[in-house]
Amino acid sequence: MTHARTLSPVIGYRRDGRPIHLVRGAAPDHIPTLTELRERFTDAPDALAEACAAAADLHEAAMRSLDAEAAGQPLNASQQRRWDAHTSASAELRTVVAQRRMSRASESRARWGAEVGSGLDSSPTTPGGELRSRAMRVVDGLHRSNDLPAHAAERVERMLSAGREDEQNLAARWAVAAGAPEYRSAFTKLCADPMRGHMLWTAQEQAAYQRAEQVRAAMSLTDANGGYMVPLTLDPAIILTNDGSVNPLRRISRVVQTVTDTWQGVTSAGATAEWKAEGAQAADGSPAVAPAPIPVHFGDVNVTYSYEVGMDARNFLSELERVIVDAADNLMAAAYTTGSGSGQPTGVITALAGTASEINTTGTEAINAADPYTLQNALPPRFQARAQWCANLGIINGYAQMETANGALKFPGLHETPPTLLRKPMNELSNMDGSINPAATASNFVLLYGDFQNFVIVDRVGTTLEILPAYGANGRPTGQRHAFLYFRTGSDVVVDNAFRMLDVPTTA
């Protein structure tokens, strides 16, 4: 006997089209707790699992509403408390759903005497809605176990809803395969012993590795490739964080993930609105739209480790993550700022140099107090609301020391925490020019102002790791291995007019 139909009334529909119900008699804005649902479905485990899934969806919808309410800004204290409550409740409900799924698999094996999959099948034939739900459950599980920080989980979730349907499905397949704990354990055994590690795999680890290989082949940009796809929790496109980074661009810019070799964006100056008289023909306000593709480029990190380190799988993975983040973040920091765009990302400075966004100083061959005002006044009003500053610490300190004739600070906001310049946030970007040499003929790009949502950083997921032997100068083994990890990332400015950049030219 099932009680599924007693969850009334219907208040919405799930991603796969099934209705979402509330407990009969509950308030319209009340999401049933696990305790309430257990009391309601004491003798119907399948109905309980369905009800828990529906309630978890409501919590996640509430979290999306909080995110939209924050409008890209950090959550305030009240919003953070609600977010944490919804997260905890959703995780509790999802656990019940997962336990019931495992129970059904066990019952099926006992009945038919056959091996039944773990529910992580990533076949392209899997319906998109259900595949995305499985991917979300994997991400939730990794976040609950503290293997995936909140910012990384949010990036994966955004990927599952961005791009074309085939890209979303491929992203979901990747999350399911690369996020499986069985694949992580299979991966660590390969790292410890690339030659014989697979001989220690369990049947579940072997199946997880096969699923990951299928996804890696589907995501490959070349016909011939090798190596292993790294687990989701080690992928730089996901785990790179802004904490401790010398480069603020990942924090203030638009960061997107892709499963292809190019992010396909578009640019537009915007549509034109009007006040129309009664009966008059409307003006043509359609905007001119232009493609803005951003390719991803090949980057790599070579990590040398001893056999002894590789044997300690848990410590090895945590150390590998630390080294990957540090090395990749520093490599990307320079490219996102001054990268040439040839074989590497196009840096924000490179993209703006020589365009109408470049403004020369109004003074001599040095910074002066008038330049920040000139830059800020030159930015179009539509980009002012979210505009921020970037400069090298040496330049920031130069402006911070400027005083009026009476000895007062010209820019007191630079002494605050966090610092501001002319009421807008100031960010330290160490890869920008930090000093000006009047004895050299050069352009010195020392101050950048604009809406950084128009500078796009693209990370391609599906990072690959190859394990290679290490040999000494005489060709003899050293008892070490090279973990050669390669990834792809790109960047570019999509709307030049959203920025103004100060150049202090010098002549020898």
Side-chain angles (χ1 to χ4, degrees):
M1 177 179 179
T2 178
H3 296 273
R5 297 184 182 278
T6 62
L7 266 180
S8 303
V10 175
I11 62 166
Y13 292 87
R14 303 180 65 188
R15 288 184 290 271
D16 57 6
R18 288 180 293 170
I20 299 175
H21 306 261
L22 282 181
V23 175
R24 186 185 298 277
D29 59 349
H30 172 70
I31 303 176
T33 65
L34 179 57
T35 300
E36 291 172 341
L37 294 176
R38 287 190 187 281
E39 292 175 352
R40 187 74 178 178
F41 302 104
T42 55
D43 58 347
D46 286 335
L48 173 62
E50 287 293 316
C52 287
D57 281 348
L58 289 176
H59 283 293
E60 290 161 12
M63 293 167 69
R64 287 192 294 272
S65 296
L66 281 173
D67 183 61
E69 180 182 316
Q73 299 300 314
L75 300 178
N76 59 37
S78 174
Q79 292 169 330
Q80 188 64 57
R81 285 194 298 271
R82 285 181 284 162
W83 181 280
D84 292 342
H86 287 302
T87 301
S88 176
S90 176
E92 186 180 42
L93 293 161
R94 292 293 186 198
T95 299
V96 174
V97 177
Q99 289 172 343
R100 181 53 189 159
R101 183 179 299 106
M102 294 176 62
S103 177
R104 284 198 299 264
S106 298
E107 292 169 359
S108 180
R109 284 197 297 270
R111 179 179 180 184
W112 300 107
E115 182 69 25
V116 177
S118 65
L120 295 178
D121 179 18
S122 54
S123 165
T125 59
T126 304
E130 177 60 22
L131 181 59
R132 185 181 185 278
S133 296
R134 292 177 183 177
M136 292 288 287
R137 288 193 290 271
V138 169
V139 174
D140 288 344
L142 292 172
H143 181 51
R144 289 197 303 271
S145 62
N146 295 320
D147 290 320
L148 196 66
H151 76 272
E154 292 170 2
R155 288 181 183 177
V156 179
E157 291 177 4
R158 286 197 297 267
M159 282 182 57
L160 301 177
S161 303
R164 304 187 308 268
E165 182 177 356
D166 60 326
E167 294 177 344
Q168 293 181 32
N169 288 340
L170 186 55
R173 290 179 60 197
W174 165 78
V176 170
E182 296 86 358
Y183 181 67
R184 182 184 175 94
S185 58
F187 178 85
T188 58
K189 291 176 181 178
L190 282 176
C191 291
D193 189 348
M195 298 299 295
R196 295 179 296 275
H198 66 282
M199 299 175 66
L200 303 177
W201 283 346
T202 64
Q204 291 79 10
E205 290 170 343
Q206 182 177 6
Y209 179 81
Q210 291 174 342
R211 286 192 292 270
E213 277 295 285
Q214 292 172 359
V215 175
R216 187 175 71 87
M219 298 175 70
S220 175
L221 302 182
T222 61
D223 294 330
N225 57 70
Y228 318 120
M229 184 170 70
V230 301
L232 185 155
T233 52
L234 293 181
D235 198 316
I238 301 302
I239 64 174
L240 270 179
T241 179
N242 304 303
D243 296 338
S245 172
V246 296
N247 183 13
L249 292 177
R250 280 189 169 272
R251 172 171 50 82
I252 64 177
S253 305
R254 182 183 177 189
V255 180
V256 299
Q257 284 73 38
T258 182
V259 294
T260 64
D261 60 347
T262 302
W263 178 77
Q264 299 292 343
V266 296
T267 63
S268 170
T272 302
E274 66 170 343
W275 297 110
K276 189 181 75 67
E278 182 178 355
Q281 177 175 297
D284 181 7
S286 57
V289 178
I294 299 177
V296 291
H297 301 277
F298 188 102
D300 66 77
V301 178
N302 181 40
V303 181
T304 304
Y305 65 97
S306 67
Y307 289 0
E308 292 83 354
V309 171
M311 291 176 183
D312 189 347
R314 179 171 295 276
N315 284 343
F316 170 75
L317 288 180
S318 63
E319 285 299 299
L320 181 62
E321 178 180 343
R322 181 184 62 81
V323 173
I324 287 172
V325 170
D326 179 67
D329 199 18
N330 280 283
L331 179 73
M332 295 175 186
Y336 296 153
T337 308
T338 58
S340 66
S342 177
Q344 59 183 277
T346 300
V348 60
I349 301 298
T350 307
L352 297 174
T355 69
S357 295
E358 179 185 328
I359 296 178
N360 285 357
T361 180
T362 56
T364 59
E365 296 180 335
I367 60 173
N368 69 83
D371 288 335
Y373 293 96
T374 301
L375 236 64
Q376 189 173 69
N377 292 341
L379 189 71
R382 65 172 302 186
F383 301 113
Q384 290 282 5
R386 295 188 298 189
Q388 302 192 46
W389 298 93
C390 278
N392 184 285
L393 181 60
I395 300 300
I396 296 174
N397 286 338
Y399 283 114
Q401 296 177 64
M402 291 183 176
E403 297 180 347
T404 66
N406 297 324
L409 294 172
K410 284 184 176 292
F411 304 109
L414 291 175
H415 293 263
E416 299 173 353
T417 303
T420 62
L421 177 61
L422 303 181
R423 300 169 300 282
K424 295 292 184 177
M426 168 60 82
N427 302 279
E428 179 188 343
L429 184 50
S430 58
N431 294 100
M432 289 182 64
D433 292 329
S435 61
I436 301 171
N437 182 8
T441 299
S443 290
N444 299 278
F445 302 115
V446 296
L447 196 58
L448 181 62
Y449 180 68
D451 181 354
F452 284 84
Q453 289 301 300
N454 293 282
F455 178 66
V456 180
I457 295 174
V458 183
D459 291 318
R460 185 183 187 274
V461 299
T463 298
T464 303
L465 181 79
E466 294 196 25
I467 306 298
L468 307 171
Y471 296 97
N474 296 321
R476 293 190 291 271
T478 62
Q480 297 174 304
R481 295 189 175 95
H482 292 281
F484 184 70
L485 180 140
Y486 47 96
F487 53 88
R488 292 180 176 90
T489 186
S491 65
D492 205 350
V493 173
V494 293
V495 180
D496 292 350
N497 200 34
F499 297 91
R500 292 296 183 268
M501 180 172 66
L502 178 66
D503 179 18
V504 181
T506 56
T507 304

